[in-house]
Amino acid sequence: MSTQGYEEELRSERSYVAGLYARLDAERARVKGEYDAALGGTGGTPMERDVRVRASAKEARRLDVADNGLCFGRLDTLSGEHSYVGRIGLFDDENEYEPVLLDWRAPAARAFYVATGATPENMRRRRQFHTRGRQVSGFTDEVLGRPGDERSGGSTPQEYRGEQADAALLAAVNAPRGEGMRDIVATIQAEQDAIIRLDHPGVLVIEGGPGTGKTVVALHRVAYLLYTQRERMERHGVLVVGPNPAFLNHIGRVLPSLGESEVVFMTPGDLVPGLSVTAEDAPETVRLKGSLKVLDVLAAAIADRQRLPEQPLPIVLSDVTVRIDAGIAEWAIQEARSSGLPHNEARAVFTEIITWALTERAIPRIGKGWLTRDDRQAWEELRAELLKELAEDETFTAALTELWPILTPETLLAPLFSSPERLRAAGADQALLRTDGDAWTVSDIPLLDELADLLGRDTVADQAAKQAAEREKRAEAEYAAGVLDSLKLDREEMDEDILLSAENLLYSEDLADRFEEHDTRELVERAAADRDWTYRHVVVDEAQELSEMDWRVLMRRCPGRSFTVVGDLAQRRSAAGATSWATMLEAYVPGRWVYRSLTVNYRTPAEIMAVAAALLAEFAPGVRPPESVRACGVQPWSRRVAGDELPAAIEDFVRDEGGREGTSVVIGPPGVPGAVVASETKGLEFDAVLVVDPARILADGPRGAAELYVALTRATQRLGVLHQGPLPEVLTGLAETPAPAGAGNRPAA
């Protein structure tokens, strides 16, 4: 294409994209008008108006995010037709089924991501726009098919520009990193697109080494599923589970930037409502708590709280004293356990047996000389009186609580972990004994969640709440009835045109329902606060770290077993984590999970990946490192420093990187000033990384090797290593650099 032809094409594209933005602005104005009308109380009931407000606000958010790169490309077919691909779909004013801009998730847009010279997907050309704000600043054409191939429109070698196919991708991966992960909607690669659009109803495992884009692919898959299955998925939302708050903050903008907001983000420490836990146990404790064997410990711990009295417990009633002895209690315990009900709900069975046994003993003594079993009516009347008296007797209530207490997960687990005697009674390893305070750890969360099912609801509290709710409803109905009375008309004075009055149309209970306060919280807020909430789809990132018990929690949250699982077994640091995907998943979804891998590293340049690959070969020799898509031209370096020089060397790195565009981080073992531990950077990326004391990180065995591998693969441009002792042999490929003269501790890029 000549320079003149290029300029003419550019003007045409600018005009078309400007028209798309004008259409977007008009649509936003229309939605804002609907929102203002609903907010102003025009038309319908308050609930109907609230629904309209929510719908308009959601649509407004979808349209707002489209401002960030509305249109990023064009596809030309062999027949000469062309279509534009963008962040959202827009349609012709005259024909709502005729798109003027294809949503990137639409089937017709697929060729934009997967067409190649060898498989052009019936496309002649792919055009990628370069934009600045709303303005198209230029474009790159990739003519599909082979030079001279009739299918490609007879393109000449000069027109065939497949070598520029990666221009947009390389521009994106070389760009300085900001504070959060960016979407890749304009640069999705073919292997990524195949995973994003995969039609599989069960569990999809996406495995890939550092920088392969597995997280962002999983998030785009969520956006795709919400687009193709919105009615099924949107009402219950999607749960995204990540390793730590920093990671969730890093990825939190991706889905909103794609117009999707019905997504709940949590860490494994957030999965029990009301708790947000970050503390970790020692590796051996993590392993014990994460194993399914702990289920036997929990069951035994519950059984240990279902007690026999050491001595008979006297209950003094008005006419007789009865005693709860070991025989009665043992019978009641057996009956309650055999009911199959959770502990708290089985208490009703326990209580029923106890009260029946006590009244059976008391009635003959009270009625001695005048009452026999033949007089069934009198017998049962006396039993009813005794039951009422027992229910009101504080000593009897205290005895029931002592023998079969109402328990919460917290009141069962905390005493268990703080008592060697209770641990022994439950058959538990003494390594579970908590000696450093009573704060919950991340490994406790699945145990607390499991106990919520094993214990069941607090039936006493539930009953009280139910009674209070019923009293409040009756009061509201009485108030509503008064409102209706005030609306009644004197029928003798009614005009003949008045056919209906308020009391003809409403019962007081109906009006009370209208007065009832409805839950107006957004889905994300409601789901996060409800332990029983179930999701239509769950994304699990860094899934190799999850234990067997963690998976039980997540499977309860998604009965449909629709998951996108993201991880890298080579990066596993948890002693309770996955050694294979089949081990974790087959028990829950036999034959319903599929595996896909990503092999191209878009983050880590080849120079840095070579260093990380040497470490990987040492601790995971069977794992193949991902292939870097680029080189950066900057060699990673190392430098030995004395202990008293270390703080200044770190400060030099921070100061030097502070003068550059992009982000940086210092990663080291615990206790290094200004450094974060590697586990806190999982899933994150930075332009520059300084790793401090790698030998101390490696000293933690296989877990330490995995953490060092994570640390080495966070950088997108520059990597430096400071070491106080000899450099670990596995890192000797680093270029040893002496301290530079003057400020700074690393060579210039």
Side-chain angles (χ1 to χ4, degrees), residues 185 204 207 218 223 252 318 335 445 476 550 680 727:
V185 63
L204 166 63
E207 184 164 28
S318 56
E335 291 294 321
I445 292 299
E476 291 171 348
D550 288 322
E680 294 179 6
L727 191 67

Side-chain angles (χ1 to χ4, degrees), residues 241-301:
V241 179
N244 54 57
F247 174 84
L248 294 183
N249 183 61
H250 179 66
I251 69 171
R253 305 176 197 174
V254 174
L255 283 166
S257 77
L258 299 174
E260 303 299 346
S261 58
E262 306 295 357
V263 180
V264 179
F265 292 89
M266 290 186 180
T267 70
D270 301 327
L271 290 170
V272 170
L275 294 178
S276 184
V277 179
T278 58
E280 293 187 2
D281 285 307
E284 177 61 12
T285 305
V286 169
R287 185 186 67 79
L288 291 170
K289 290 181 179 179
S291 169
L292 292 181
K293 295 178 181 178
V294 81
L295 293 172
D296 294 332
V297 172
L298 298 180

Side-chain angles (χ1 to χ4, degrees), residues 453-670:
D453 281 351
L454 294 175
L455 296 174
R457 299 187 179 279
D458 183 343
T459 52
V460 175
D462 286 353
Q463 187 64 26
K466 183 178 179 180
Q467 291 173 352
E470 289 175 349
R471 287 195 299 271
E472 184 176 355
K473 186 150 184 123
R474 283 197 300 271
E476 291 171 348
E478 291 172 1
Y479 171 76
V483 172
L484 289 176
D485 287 341
S486 69
L487 295 176
K488 286 182 180 178
L489 301 173
D490 186 335
R491 297 187 182 279
E492 293 182 357
E493 298 178 359
M494 284 177 63
D495 186 272
E496 61 181 4
D497 292 331
I498 300 177
L499 301 177
L500 297 173
S501 59
E503 76 273 15
N504 297 123
L505 299 174
L506 295 172
Y507 292 101
S508 58
E509 291 83 358
D510 295 331
L511 189 57
D513 284 338
R514 292 195 175 191
F515 290 159
E516 184 179 350
E517 183 177 351
H518 294 278
D519 193 341
T520 58
R521 294 175 298 171
E522 295 290 343
L523 178 144
V524 170
E525 187 179 0
R526 287 184 285 125
D530 185 356
R531 187 255 170 187
D532 295 324
W533 189 278
T534 58
Y535 299 88
R536 285 291 183 263
H537 191 77
V538 176
V539 176
V540 187
D541 211 319
E542 299 294 342
Q544 73 277 357
E545 307 295 350
L546 268 60
S547 69
E548 293 174 311
M549 290 298 294
D550 288 322
W551 281 109
R552 287 178 65 85
V553 179
L554 294 175
M555 291 297 170
R556 278 193 285 270
R557 299 298 189 273
C558 187
R561 303 291 195 262
S562 178
F563 281 76
T564 299
V565 176
V566 180
D568 179 8
L569 294 179
Q571 296 186 57
R572 177 179 67 89
R573 62 183 291 273
S574 171
T579 55
S580 78
W581 300 116
T583 299
M584 290 299 187
L585 299 174
E586 193 64 28
Y588 300 105
V589 284
R592 285 191 62 229
W593 68 280
V594 297
Y595 176 89
R596 295 290 185 272
S597 64
L598 292 169
T599 59
V600 178
N601 188 329
Y602 300 99
R603 175 205 300 147
T604 316
E607 296 89 343
I608 296 175
M609 197 61 218
V611 176
L615 174 63
L616 183 66
E618 186 75 19
F619 80 93
V623 178
R624 182 178 179 180
E627 182 178 352
S628 296
V629 76
R630 68 192 170 99
C632 66
V634 180
Q635 291 298 321
W637 57 271
S638 65
R639 177 181 152 210
R640 187 167 184 172
V641 295
D644 58 353
E645 297 174 332
L646 184 61
I650 294 174
E651 289 177 7
D652 285 346
F653 170 84
V654 173
R655 182 179 58 254
D656 291 352
E657 287 298 335
R660 295 176 181 267
E661 189 177 5
T663 60
S664 63
V665 69
V666 179
I667 303 175

Side-chain angles (χ1 to χ4, degrees), residues 110-164:
R110 178 176 173 272
F112 186 79
Y113 300 109
V114 302
T116 65
T119 56
E121 300 284 330
N122 294 317
M123 297 295 159
R124 185 178 68 85
R125 179 172 59 188
R126 171 171 45 221
R127 173 169 290 176
Q128 292 178 309
F129 294 148
H130 314 303
T131 59
R132 186 177 296 109
R134 290 189 166 200
Q135 181 80 5
V136 177
S137 58
F139 61 81
T140 300
D141 278 349
E142 180 185 1
V143 178
L144 303 168
R146 296 299 176 188
D149 189 339
E150 291 182 359
R151 294 180 306 167
S152 66
S155 58
T156 67
Q158 289 74 26
E159 292 173 317
Y160 180 69
R161 301 170 62 183
E163 70 277 2
Q164 297 191 22

